[in-house]
Every structure is written in structure tokens, then in C-alpha cells.
Amino acid sequence: MTNHAAFAAEDAVTAVSPPAQASLHFSLFPPRMASDCKKAALGRMDLAASGVLREGSLVDSMKASSPRYAKFAAAADHEDWMEKHPLALEWFEAVQAAAKGNQIVMFLDYDGTLSPIVEDPESAIMTEDMRDAVRSVSQNFPTAIVSGRGRDKVHSTATNEELYYAGSHGMDIKRPTTVSNHKAKADEVLCQPATEFLPVIQEVYEALTAKMESIPGAMVENNKFCLSVHFRCVDEKEWDVLGEEVRAVLEGYPDLCLTKGRKVLEIRPSIKWDKGNALEFLLESLGYAGRGDVFLIYIGDDRTDEDAFKVLRDMGQGIGVLVTKFPKETTASYSLREPAEVKDFLRKLVKSSVTKG
């Protein structure tokens, strides 16, 4: 059984609750199942607060996701931003002090966090060093990868059987396959709140794929419960056309919404479910919801990760770490500049827990 470590509290003045035992990683309670998360996701998304792209804002939003524009806009206030969101590696002792005596639970985005952002999304894979770092983290702390990619795609590249996998922005969650002490099947899916949207998503995928054939460099990725239209390799002069084509397809599908990421447009069901909801669901499934001895760390690089950062801020029991080289509006507490720094942070976290454990 994996031994999930907590930071020791040998210098604490008052006693703290004992760290969670390894079995709590897999929860001593019956897991919440897909039907439970469907109930939680009932109702439409709050479009005003969800970052949904509205008429007239699409091209500007696409430009804002370009590093060139971000660099230009951020040059003047970089120093001020870094004071508000210091590098987690340089301030590691502060993170360590905040986590002291608590059970750490890790949440990791994939693209741009564990793997580099590349022109071909299919080529975005973790290095062996990063794979080793993630494996070490999952052996010491309950850990989940929460990605916009399809769950099967992330699993095939991460190949770690001790991880929880939450694909499609948390709409497809599965427990680790190493579970052996639970009544439920080890490979049982925990949460799929948007299954009724699958036929519509497939229909839109086929329509978008046909439309994007006329735009060089455009790519439509089917992530099962959501779709990604990548324009990283599209000439900027074609962005307006691409946006119009995407919007034209979605006009006939009012139950789907359009959001943006880093040079990608995301099409998702308009339900009350995002990476923040996925974090809360996983925390409860792990058996840690409502406990005061838990410290959550969420590392991500995209706007969709902000939903999780906000949950952490409201809970007051952990930190969000934004991976970026340029200042961005964020509710994350700390920052890291690239996946290589994420790897170093994860290794340092594991080393510190082992040393103090």
C-alpha cells in the first residue's frame, strides 16, 4: 500500500490531528458515483462567471491567449505581479510551513504543467524525469491529474496506476487501478456528469472537423466530453475566419458553450461542472472533505484552472500555483515559469516530506 506522507509538526505548539493513513487515499466510505455528480451538476452553467466567450469578444480573446500579446501587455507590471505571485521554488519554505502537520493532496494540470506546450497536441508528453517526479509524488501524497484532455489520453501518456485521472475538465473521473481494499471495482468510473451530451458532442466534432479542413493548421481534438479547436499553427490572419466557423457550428447547439484556453477554443456542455467542482468531488471521494488537517496544492497553467484556484482560495486550505512566464490575472497564490520548475517543485516537496516524515 502506498504510504502518503504529511509534513511533520515537531515544532508546533499545539497538537494537530494525526496525518491521514494510506487507506484514506482510497476512502473508507462508499465512493460517490457518476449519478451523484450528475445531481451536483444539474442546471446550466453561470455564463457570466464562467469565462464563456460572448459575441464580439472571440478574436480579442484568441489574441490574448497568444504569448506574444501576453508578453507585450505584461512587461510594465511584471515586478508587481511577481510580488503578488512569487515563485513557489524560491518561497518553498513558506509553502512547507503552511503545510506543516497536514496531509498534502496534490492536483496537477497536464498540458503546460506536466508537459510542454507544443504545436501538435498529440506530441505533448511528459519527459521521463517528469514521469518519475509525478510517480514519486503519487507514492507520497494522494494525487490527481485534472486535464482538459480526454481521460484515456492522459492516462496513456502518464501511465501511472496510482493516480486519479480527471479528464474533459473534470467531467470524466476515474480512480487508481491499484485499489485493492475497496468493495467497488478498482477500475470503476467515479464521475461522468455529462454522458447525455455524448451524441451531440460527436455530432459537433464531425461538423467542426469538416469546417476546419479549409483552414491550414487548424485541428479539432475530441476529448470525449468536450472538444478543443487548436489554432496554435493557424496564421493569425485566419483567426477571425476560424472563430466565425466555430460560432456558426455552435449556433445550432444552445446546450454547448465556448470558452478559451492557451491558443485553443473549448466547446463544453453548459452544466455546472468545471475543474473546481472536480476538485471538490475528488476531495470528498478521497475521504478528506471537511477535515482541518488537509493542505491542497493545485498546479495549472490555463484559464480553466482558475476555477480550481478559486475553490482553494475560498476553502483557505491550500495554494494554487500558476505556471506562466508572463503575468496573468489569477487567484493563484504562487507561480512557476515552466514544466521544468514544476518538476523541481514536486521533487523538492517529496524530498522534504521524506526528510521530515
Side-chain angles (χ1 to χ4, degrees):
M1 177 64 66
T2 299
N3 180 28
H4 291 129
F7 278 121
E10 66 273 12
D11 298 326
V13 176
T14 56
V16 297
S17 301
Q21 298 302 311
S23 59
L24 282 179
H25 180 193
F26 305 121
S27 177
L28 295 177
F29 308 98
R32 294 182 66 188
M33 303 308 295
S35 58
D36 298 310
C37 66
K38 281 184 180 179
K39 293 177 182 178
L42 285 177
R44 291 181 63 83
M45 179 188 297
D46 181 358
L47 300 183
S50 64
V52 172
L53 299 177
R54 297 185 176 278
E55 194 66 37
S57 68
L58 184 53
V59 175
D60 289 340
S61 296
M62 291 168 74
K63 288 181 178 179
S65 70
S66 170
R68 178 164 66 86
Y69 285 90
K71 184 176 182 179
F72 176 79
D77 58 354
H78 184 270
E79 186 174 344
D80 179 63
W81 190 89
M82 289 303 299
E83 288 184 4
K84 297 177 180 177
H85 312 283
L87 292 172
L89 277 173
E90 295 181 1
W91 285 74
F92 183 79
E93 288 74 16
V95 176
Q96 185 180 17
K100 186 183 251 186
N102 295 309
Q103 171 66 59
I104 291 178
V105 183
M106 294 292 305
F107 299 91
L108 302 166
D109 179 36
Y110 187 80
D111 289 276
T113 300
L114 300 180
S115 70
I117 296 293
V118 293
E119 290 187 352
D120 180 7
E122 297 298 328
S123 300
I125 59 175
M126 290 192 290
T127 63
E128 286 302 319
D129 283 348
M130 179 65 86
R131 212 183 302 272
D132 180 68
V134 172
R135 186 178 298 109
S136 295
V137 165
S138 67
Q139 290 171 347
N140 284 272
F141 314 113
T143 303
I145 292 181
V146 186
S147 173
R149 282 178 175 265
R151 172 174 54 79
D152 291 340
K153 293 181 182 178
V154 177
H155 183 271
S156 67
T157 56
T159 61
N160 186 333
E161 304 307 324
E162 295 183 311
L163 290 169
Y164 279 76
Y165 291 93
S168 302
H169 300 290
M171 296 185 192
D172 188 8
I173 302 176
K174 190 175 181 180
R175 69 170 66 254
T177 57
T178 54
V179 180
S180 60
N181 66 334
H182 202 282
K183 293 180 181 179
K185 294 181 181 179
D187 61 350
E188 195 162 15
V189 170
L190 292 179
C191 176
Q192 289 182 337
T195 51
E196 63 268 31
F197 287 88
L198 286 176
V200 172
I201 290 173
Q202 180 62 30
E203 188 175 321
V204 173
Y205 170 69
E206 294 172 1
L208 284 173
T209 300
K211 290 285 188 181
M212 293 302 109
E213 287 180 355
S214 63
I215 302 177
M219 175 183 173
V220 184
E221 185 179 14
N222 191 336
N223 293 312
K224 190 171 182 176
F225 292 99
C226 63
L227 303 173
S228 299
V229 180
H230 299 275
F231 58 91
R232 181 168 298 277
C233 298
V234 176
D235 190 304
E236 189 174 328
K237 295 177 182 178
E238 299 290 328
W239 288 3
D240 197 8
V241 175
L242 183 146
E244 289 178 0
E245 293 283 19
V246 172
R247 275 213 164 114
V249 170
L250 292 182
E251 282 181 359
Y253 300 92
D255 290 332
L256 299 180
C257 65
L258 180 65
T259 63
K260 73 174 180 68
R262 291 179 62 178
K263 286 202 171 180
V264 62
L265 298 177
E266 305 275 7
I267 293 94
R268 293 190 275 169
S270 297
I271 61 174
K272 294 180 180 179
W273 198 266
D274 52 39
K275 288 186 177 182
N277 299 111
L279 185 154
E280 293 175 318
F281 181 90
L282 282 164
L283 197 60
E284 184 169 341
S285 296
L286 287 163
Y288 294 130
R291 291 178 51 164
D293 62 339
V294 176
F295 189 82
L296 313 180
I297 300 177
Y298 188 107
I299 307 178
D301 77 310
D302 211 342
R303 194 218 64 80
T304 58
D305 299 305
E306 291 297 327
D307 297 314
F309 293 154
K310 290 174 184 176
V311 168
L312 289 183
R313 179 196 61 190
D314 294 343
M315 290 179 61
Q317 282 184 264
I319 60 168
V321 181
L322 179 67
V323 184
T324 181
K325 291 182 178 179
F326 311 110
K328 296 179 181 178
E329 183 177 349
T330 182
T331 52
S333 308
Y334 293 90
S335 64
L336 291 168
R337 288 169 293 202
E338 57 188 357
E341 290 192 347
V342 174
K343 176 193 65 180
D344 292 342
F345 178 82
L346 296 180
R347 285 181 168 172
K348 199 166 185 177
L349 197 66
V350 170
K351 182 178 179 180
S352 179
S353 69
V354 171
T355 301
K356 291 181 175 291

